[in-house]
Amino acid sequence: MNKKEIDGETKLTPQITDEILKLDNQLCFAFYVCSKEILKKYRPLLEPLGLTYTGYIAMMALWEQDNINVKELGNKLYLDSGTLTPLLKKLESQGYVTRTRSVENERNVFIKLTEKGQLLKNEAVQVPLKLIESVGCGVENGEQLVSQLHKWMELLAKEMP
Amino acid sequence: MNKKEIDGETKLTPQITDEILKLDNQLCFAFYVCSKEILKKYRPLLEPLGLTYTGYIAMMALWEQDNINVKELGNKLYLDSGTLTPLLKKLESQGYVTRTRSVENERNVFIKLTEKGQLLKNEAVQVPLKLIESVGCGVENGEQLVSQLHKWMELLAKEMP
DNA sequence: TGTTGTTTAATTGTACACAATTTAATTCAC
DNA sequence: GTGAATTAAATTGTGTACAATTAAACAACA
């Protein structure tokens, strides 16, 4: 599909319509499948740690920067409080984090790793290692793609005019 | 992170552990965010058609190849009957498809587009066009990425030994 | 000061995804 | 030909995501 075919000037023939709606041409579908399939690979590796994938990335964010509020955590993870609140309550019940409402500004709830949560890091580090092994992809291969995807993340996450 | 650092031989120092667990280094997280954010962009465009994203890709698969059974459709979409059965019932209730159990082999349920479902294609074609416009990405840019992601789809979807 | 607007979490309701199981039909092995 | 194994779809139960709303706290400002 070239530029000419998809701009407003060109008439949408049946052939062009078919090409535009072909599943294999959809970037969104490729993202969607890659995301789902990779999450499926993580699930059995995370299960022994008692973590779901969302719990895992929340812990990763906290291992990088501890003691942040729900809003900040949501910015890092691209998630909102509707998803995070129940998740963080679960992590709290598992003893990995504490949730404390700030006294300076009672709107903020700060999330802090417990000792158990900090120690989990040493087991969690095995997860990406095992995954790379099981998928059998080159690491260098992935690095280039990650930086490319980060550009798309920014592009897609910013709201349109 | 280079190969040496992640293989089993190298000792996991705290620095290496940090690097391995950094959110920005995770391919899975990049896939996950790109997928979620692009789906978020599709939602308002699909809403006027009465389609969810999953309904949209199911219709795309059927516009490409009509009259296939649930299993085949699942292979195309990387979804199983647990997701598809309720989805297809909804598309049926909306008048876009019919679900008919095969007489030759009663285990199979074939999905067929109605006339209304076929006509929807002409409206749906506007969806990718509007999206490309709103995201403001080059089309060529996306094409290269799509083919790269298809390799990952295959790699990730095949089950491990 | 008091009113209005904004910010932060939490809540509510809807729609996925998927693992695991169930049911029914078909195929395979012997 | 019959019992075992396999296959396809449906069902059940759990865990996200997110839009929209609510509630409370805070900020801005006439």
Side-chain angles (χ1 to χ4, degrees):
Chain A
M1 161 170 42
N2 64 47
K3 190 68 209 277
K4 245 195 190 137
E5 285 167 342
I6 63 114
D7 68 22
E9 310 297 327
T10 312
K11 189 141 173 289
L12 286 174
T13 64
Q15 291 76 27
I16 293 175
T17 297
D18 284 353
E19 196 63 22
I20 291 174
L21 289 176
K22 212 155 168 273
L23 211 49
D24 280 351
N25 291 339
Q26 312 300 315
L27 186 55
C28 60
F29 181 65
F31 279 142
Y32 168 80
V33 173
C34 285
S35 173
K36 277 192 324 144
E37 294 302 320
I38 204 164
L39 258 59
K40 224 181 281 186
K41 289 221 177 293
Y42 270 93
R43 223 161 279 145
L45 300 177
L46 293 173
E47 201 253 14
L49 307 181
L51 292 178
T52 61
Y53 183 74
T54 324
Y56 173 63
I57 60 173
M59 293 300 286
M60 275 202 284
L62 291 166
W63 287 322
E64 274 186 66
Q65 191 183 356
D66 197 1
N67 201 31
I68 57 179
N69 66 14
V70 176
K71 175 80 170 184
E72 275 182 278
L73 188 58
N75 287 341
K76 286 177 188 290
L77 302 178
Y78 295 74
L79 292 171
D80 67 6
S81 68
T83 304
L84 285 176
T85 295
L87 169 69
L88 293 170
K89 282 181 179 173
K90 193 187 167 192
L91 290 176
E92 186 180 40
S93 80
Q94 291 175 301
Y96 290 139
V97 304
T98 58
R99 299 164 59 246
T100 317
R101 200 166 281 275
S102 167
V103 281
E104 296 98 48
N105 187 336
E106 291 192 31
R107 286 174 300 184
N108 294 311
V109 168
F110 280 84
I111 313 300
K112 214 165 162 356
L113 290 167
T114 61
E115 200 187 328
K116 184 180 172 189
Q118 282 162 7
L119 289 173
L120 187 67
K121 189 173 177 178
N122 300 316
E123 313 195 32
V125 70
Q126 294 300 329
V127 173
L129 300 181
K130 280 188 199 151
L131 197 96
I132 288 170
E133 191 188 356
S134 93
V135 173
C137 61
V139 182
E140 311 77 15
N141 206 351
E143 280 178 22
Q144 183 270 334
L145 181 55
V146 167
S147 75
Q148 196 177 355
L149 292 182
H150 274 268
K151 297 198 191 81
W152 282 90
M153 282 164 62
E154 280 181 48
L155 190 64
L156 293 169
K158 84 177 158 211
E159 69 278 18
M160 39 189 131
Chain B
M1 161 167 46
N2 64 47
K3 189 69 210 277
K4 247 199 193 132
E5 285 165 342
I6 62 115
D7 67 22
E9 309 298 327
T10 311
K11 189 143 173 286
L12 285 174
T13 65
Q15 291 77 28
I16 293 176
T17 297
D18 284 353
E19 195 63 21
I20 291 174
L21 289 175
K22 212 154 167 274
L23 210 50
D24 280 352
N25 292 340
Q26 312 300 315
L27 186 55
C28 60
F29 182 64
F31 279 142
Y32 169 79
V33 172
C34 284
S35 173
K36 277 192 323 143
E37 294 302 319
I38 204 163
L39 259 59
K40 224 181 282 188
K41 289 221 177 292
Y42 269 93
R43 224 160 278 146
L45 299 177
L46 293 173
E47 201 253 16
L49 307 181
L51 292 177
T52 61
Y53 182 73
T54 323
Y56 173 63
I57 60 173
M59 293 300 286
M60 275 201 286
L62 291 166
W63 287 322
E64 273 186 66
Q65 190 183 356
D66 198 1
N67 200 31
I68 58 179
N69 67 14
V70 176
K71 174 82 170 183
E72 276 182 277
L73 189 57
N75 288 341
K76 286 177 187 291
L77 302 178
Y78 295 74
L79 292 170
D80 67 5
S81 69
T83 304
L84 285 175
T85 296
L87 169 69
L88 293 169
K89 282 181 179 173
K90 192 186 167 192
L91 290 176
E92 185 180 41
S93 80
Q94 290 175 302
Y96 290 139
V97 304
T98 58
R99 299 165 57 248
T100 317
R101 201 166 281 274
S102 167
V103 281
E104 295 98 49
N105 186 336
E106 292 192 30
R107 286 175 302 184
N108 294 313
V109 168
F110 280 83
I111 313 300
K112 214 165 162 355
L113 290 168
T114 61
E115 201 187 327
K116 183 179 171 189
Q118 283 162 6
L119 289 173
L120 187 67
K121 189 173 178 178
N122 300 318
E123 313 195 31
V125 69
Q126 294 299 329
V127 172
L129 301 181
K130 280 188 200 151
L131 197 96
I132 288 169
E133 191 188 355
S134 92
V135 173
C137 61
V139 181
E140 309 77 16
N141 205 352
E143 280 178 21
Q144 182 270 336
L145 182 54
V146 167
S147 76
Q148 196 177 356
L149 292 182
H150 275 267
K151 296 197 192 83
W152 283 90
M153 283 163 62
E154 280 181 48
L155 190 63
L156 293 169
K158 82 176 159 210
E159 69 279 17
M160 37 189 130

